[in-house]
């Protein structure tokens, strides 16, 4: 019994030391993900004109993957970087699964949600309108990945409100604007919602070629 107790205590101590060794997440971690996402969304090879919602869906899935891959304590926020990464991941994942089940993503859903195509206020259309609109913004010349997400929250909430639909929640917390600590607004407040742009990047030229070929000129403002 004593040996077992010693083993348990040792395991707890080792676990505590491991937790202490894991540093708090920093703005450098967040900036790394924004840079990766910017490069992805600027590349027209990742665009899908026939199914525009795919770009937004891939964009948010990649954000989740990047945040999950960060080697830092995702539960701990700091005065320097006051974002709980784990909460951020949970917000995104709760919405990604809905998009997948409405077949708005690149993969087919194993459990597709039923859609009333005759009802313009069906939840499917809420997701379709907003994912397509934000995809178009991401395809614009100088889009900011953080601004894309700041557009997303009022879009989804606004359409739901007009249609009298229940607002999205995460557990007991409402995801309506102003009802939770929005990571993207925090990024803007701390000066980390910024333009990532390098004209020497070949993606810029590829974007312009794509626009000419497809006779499309998406929004050019921030």
């Amino acid at each position: 019994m004593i040996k077992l107790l010693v083993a348990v205590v040792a395991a707890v101590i080792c676990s505590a030391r491991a937790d202490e060794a894991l540093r708090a997440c920093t703005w450098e971690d967040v900036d790394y993900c924004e840079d990766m996402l910017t490069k992805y969304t600027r590349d027209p090879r990742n665009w899908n004109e026939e199914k525009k919602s795919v770009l937004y869906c891939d964009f948010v899935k990649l954000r989740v993957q990047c945040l999950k891959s960060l080697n830092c304590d995702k539960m701990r926020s700091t005065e320097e970087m006051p974002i709980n990464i784990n909460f951020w991941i949970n917000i995104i994942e709760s919405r990604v699964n809905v998009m997948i089940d409405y077949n708005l993503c690149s993969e087919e859903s194993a459990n597709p949600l039923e859609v009333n195509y005759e009802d313009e206020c069906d939840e499917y259309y809420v997701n379709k309108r907003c994912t397509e609109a934000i995809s178009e913004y991401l395809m614009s010349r100088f889009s900011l990945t953080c601004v894309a997400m700041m557009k997303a929250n009022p879009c989804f909430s606004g359409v739901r409100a007009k249609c009298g639909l229940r607002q999205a929640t995460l557990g007991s917390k409402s995801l309506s604007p102003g009802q939770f600590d929005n990571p993207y607004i925090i990024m803007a407040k701390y000066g980390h919602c910024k333009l990532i742009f390098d004209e020497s990047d070949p993606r810029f030229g590829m974007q312009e070629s794509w626009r000419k070929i497809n006779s499309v000129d998406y929004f050019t403002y921030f």
Side-chain angles (χ1 to χ4, degrees):
M1 183 66 180
I2 293 175
K3 288 183 179 180
L4 177 60
L5 182 60
V6 170
V8 170
V9 170
V12 169
I13 292 172
C14 288
S15 177
R17 286 176 178 169
D19 289 341
E20 288 175 7
L22 201 59
R23 62 176 178 78
C25 297
T26 67
W27 284 118
E28 189 174 61
D29 295 310
V30 174
D31 291 343
Y32 167 78
C33 289
E34 295 309 300
D35 184 64
M36 181 275 291
L37 288 165
T38 298
K39 288 174 180 174
Y40 182 86
T41 56
R42 289 249 172 87
D43 191 336
R45 290 171 294 187
N46 299 319
W47 299 354
N48 189 325
E49 186 66 8
E50 293 180 10
K51 193 177 180 182
K52 288 180 185 174
S53 59
V54 167
L55 177 60
Y56 176 72
C57 189
D58 286 346
F59 165 65
V60 291
K61 285 190 294 185
L62 283 172
R63 187 186 289 280
V64 168
Q65 291 171 17
C66 188
L67 292 174
K68 283 185 173 181
S69 72
L70 297 179
N71 187 29
C72 55
D73 186 348
K74 300 175 185 65
M75 290 294 292
R76 180 157 47 120
S77 59
T78 63
E79 186 176 351
E80 161 71 21
M81 204 285 289
I83 297 178
N84 183 311
I85 299 291
N86 197 54
F87 175 64
W88 193 359
I89 290 170
N90 290 338
I91 294 174
I92 304 170
E93 284 191 318
S94 70
R95 309 318 304 158
V96 169
N97 294 331
V98 173
M99 289 189 290
I100 291 173
D101 288 340
Y102 276 126
N103 283 321
L104 294 169
C105 302
S106 52
E107 68 266 56
E108 290 294 318
S109 172
N111 300 292
L113 293 167
E114 186 176 341
V115 179
N116 180 359
Y117 294 102
E118 301 300 317
D119 181 4
E120 292 185 357
C121 277
D122 188 277
E123 184 76 18
Y124 164 77
Y125 286 113
V126 174
N127 282 272
K128 188 174 188 295
R129 287 174 203 146
C130 291
T131 53
E132 289 181 350
I134 301 161
S135 290
E136 286 192 359
Y137 171 75
L138 287 169
M139 294 162 74
S140 64
R141 286 181 178 85
F142 307 115
S143 62
L144 281 70
T145 52
C146 42
V147 168
M149 298 308 293
M150 280 194 272
K151 288 175 176 286
N153 190 236
C155 181
F156 287 105
S157 297
V159 176
R160 284 196 182 93
K162 287 179 182 177
C163 287
L165 297 173
R166 179 174 175 268
Q167 292 293 340
T169 59
L170 181 60
S172 60
K173 188 179 288 290
S174 171
L175 295 182
S176 300
Q179 299 300 307
F180 66 104
D181 293 329
N182 190 318
Y184 312 101
I185 292 176
I186 295 173
M187 285 173 65
K189 179 180 177 181
Y190 281 75
H192 287 268
C193 184
K194 54 193 177 184
L195 178 65
I196 301 172
F197 185 76
D198 177 6
E199 194 166 347
S200 66
D201 189 320
R203 295 175 186 84
F204 180 82
M206 291 167 66
Q207 278 190 347
E208 298 310 306
S209 297
W210 186 92
R211 289 188 177 90
K212 290 176 183 176
I213 292 169
N214 291 275
S215 300
V216 169
D217 187 17
Y218 285 115
F219 314 120
T220 56
Y221 54 79
F222 295 164

